[in-house]
Amino acid sequence: MPTVEFQFHYADIGNGQITNLAGNDSDPSTVYTITFDGQLESGDLVTLTYPNGATDQLQYFGLNDNGEPGFVLPGNPQGATDAHLILSNTQFDNGDPFPTGYDPTEPFVCFLAGTMIATPTGGTVVESLSIGDLVMTADGRAVPVKWLGRQTIVALFGINESRQPVSIAAGALGEGLPERELRLTATHALLIDGVLVHAGALVNGTSIQRIAPAELGERFVVYHIETENHEVVLAEGMPAETFIDNVTRTHFDNYAEYEALYGPAPAAMEELRQPRAMSHRQVPAAIRARIAAAAAALLPARSEVA
């Protein structure tokens, strides 16, 4: 059974103070142990062993935005002032990292729940897709879903602004697209005029905005569609890329499912050949102008409704 040796701090969210969970041991070099069965996923229970041999049961909820694994006492909300444990300086005896949550040095690239994906029989919300389901590509082909990656993002301690998911209003990209509000992560690319443009590069503060942390809540789930090849599918009618393996699959909650199906070392995928705009200044002027014109057309309509 895997174990972790670590130093920890206890986050008292109520007043921002950091105190020692044990209460009677202020030595920062003291080593504690967590024992768990197999790979950890959000909601799993682990055993915390103190230096004096006493134990507690804790519930794992994933990594925070600093990449630190977090736990709560079962039944207590995340952030409870007497039940929030964040590990630091972790060292596994088997050398493995925590297998779930996300790495803050690596972007999460996915659709938010509720995003409508085009299929041969009509739109389907992304979280309802399954392996083998057919989805429509922007050039009119139907391709099967190879895997649907699911990633729980723990936003309890906030998310850096550049990483906050993006909301694109219906019609904000011109020509009636997207057909409905499109919500996706900042580094997920849309195909616009032959350019793969990251959603975060499109933010204009009006028709395209970052989603406020308060709306996201303490945690939220995102979904990524993997097909056999890197494709462009239709999300709310808007061409959007599928998964490309320059983002590791191991940070998805259900990576074990992928590994069981396809093994730990699949062949590398070939990325789409279109140019990629990852920042606002890289977005072609023609695209920026089109978005500005669409925003100007949308704002009066919004004002009339208000």
Side-chain angles (χ1 to χ4, degrees), residues 142-282:
V143 298
V145 174
K146 181 176 181 179
W147 185 56
L148 186 71
R150 183 183 70 254
Q151 194 174 25
T152 300
I153 308 302
V154 178
L156 179 65
F157 297 108
I159 298 177
N160 293 338
E161 183 180 3
S162 63
R163 294 162 50 80
Q164 288 174 359
V166 173
S167 167
I168 302 175
L173 300 176
E175 300 177 358
L177 294 174
E179 296 168 349
R180 302 191 315 163
E181 179 194 16
L182 174 58
R183 294 157 64 93
L184 69 173
T185 53
T187 50
H188 199 141
L190 303 174
L191 185 62
I192 307 173
D193 294 349
V195 180
L196 289 166
V197 184
H198 286 196
L202 297 169
V203 170
N204 60 7
T206 55
S207 58
I208 305 174
Q209 304 185 60
R210 299 191 186 278
I211 302 174
E215 184 177 350
L216 294 169
E218 291 184 354
R219 67 167 67 195
F220 59 97
V221 181
V222 293
Y223 301 85
H224 216 332
I225 302 166
E226 180 170 351
T227 51
E228 188 63 36
N229 300 302
H230 192 203
E231 301 278 7
V232 177
V233 294
L234 298 173
E236 306 295 0
M238 189 65 205
E241 68 178 335
T242 58
F243 176 82
I244 179 66
D245 59 356
N246 54 22
V247 175
T248 179
R249 299 178 184 88
T250 59
H251 294 296
F252 287 91
D253 298 351
N254 56 332
Y255 171 69
E257 174 191 54
Y258 181 92
E259 190 174 35
L261 289 169
Y262 306 112
M269 299 175 71
E270 182 177 352
E271 189 168 1
L272 291 166
R273 297 185 179 182
Q274 286 89 344
R276 186 176 289 267
M278 297 182 287
S279 66
H280 182 72
R281 66 182 181 82
Q282 293 175 331

Side-chain angles (χ1 to χ4, degrees), residues 295-306:
L298 286 172
L299 288 176
R302 289 185 174 183
S303 299
E304 291 171 11
V305 171

Side-chain angles (χ1 to χ4, degrees), residues 8-269:
F8 68 78
H9 63 254
Y10 166 66
D12 184 342
I13 307 303
N15 59 22
Q17 298 298 309
I18 303 299
T19 59
N20 188 284
L21 182 66
N24 58 2
D25 184 357
S26 59
D27 182 358
S29 66
T30 299
V31 173
Y32 297 76
T33 302
I34 273 186
T35 304
F36 58 95
D37 184 10
Q39 288 193 326
L40 279 178
E41 293 189 3
S42 297
D44 286 354
L45 294 177
V46 301
T47 300
L48 167 68
T49 303
Y50 297 97
N52 63 4
T55 62
D56 265 328
Q57 288 290 303
L58 300 175
Q59 191 169 35
Y60 180 54
F61 70 77
L63 306 183
N64 67 12
D65 200 43
N66 293 319
E68 299 169 321
F71 300 82
V72 292
L73 292 174
N76 286 48
Q78 294 173 32
T81 58
D82 61 349
H84 198 88
L85 176 65
I86 300 295
L87 309 188
S88 58
N89 305 318
T90 56
Q91 179 60 56
F92 277 69
D93 63 356
N94 62 359
D96 293 334
F98 276 94
T100 189
Y102 64 96
D103 181 347
T105 65
E106 181 174 350
F108 41 93
V109 188
C110 309
F111 299 109
L112 271 68
T115 300
M116 196 71 73
I117 305 298
T119 77
T121 57
T124 299
V125 291
V126 64
E127 64 269 28
S128 294
L129 291 173
S130 300
I131 294 172
D133 287 351
L134 295 177
V135 293
M136 296 302 300
T137 64
D139 59 4
R141 292 175 293 119
V143 298
V145 174
K146 181 176 181 179
W147 185 56
L148 186 71
R150 183 183 70 254
Q151 194 174 25
T152 300
I153 308 302
V154 178
L156 179 65
F157 297 108
I159 298 177
N160 293 338
E161 183 180 3
S162 63
R163 294 162 50 80
Q164 288 174 359
V166 173
S167 167
I168 302 175
L173 300 176
E175 300 177 358
L177 294 174
E179 296 168 349
R180 302 191 315 163
E181 179 194 16
L182 174 58
R183 294 157 64 93
L184 69 173
T185 53
T187 50
H188 199 141
L190 303 174
L191 185 62
I192 307 173
D193 294 349
V195 180
L196 289 166
V197 184
H198 286 196
L202 297 169
V203 170
N204 60 7
T206 55
S207 58
I208 305 174
Q209 304 185 60
R210 299 191 186 278
I211 302 174
E215 184 177 350
L216 294 169
E218 291 184 354
R219 67 167 67 195
F220 59 97
V221 181
V222 293
Y223 301 85
H224 216 332
I225 302 166
E226 180 170 351
T227 51
E228 188 63 36
N229 300 302
H230 192 203
E231 301 278 7
V232 177
V233 294
L234 298 173
E236 306 295 0
M238 189 65 205
E241 68 178 335
T242 58
F243 176 82
I244 179 66
D245 59 356
N246 54 22
V247 175
T248 179
R249 299 178 184 88
T250 59
H251 294 296
F252 287 91
D253 298 351
N254 56 332
Y255 171 69
E257 174 191 54
Y258 181 92
E259 190 174 35
L261 289 169
Y262 306 112
M269 299 175 71

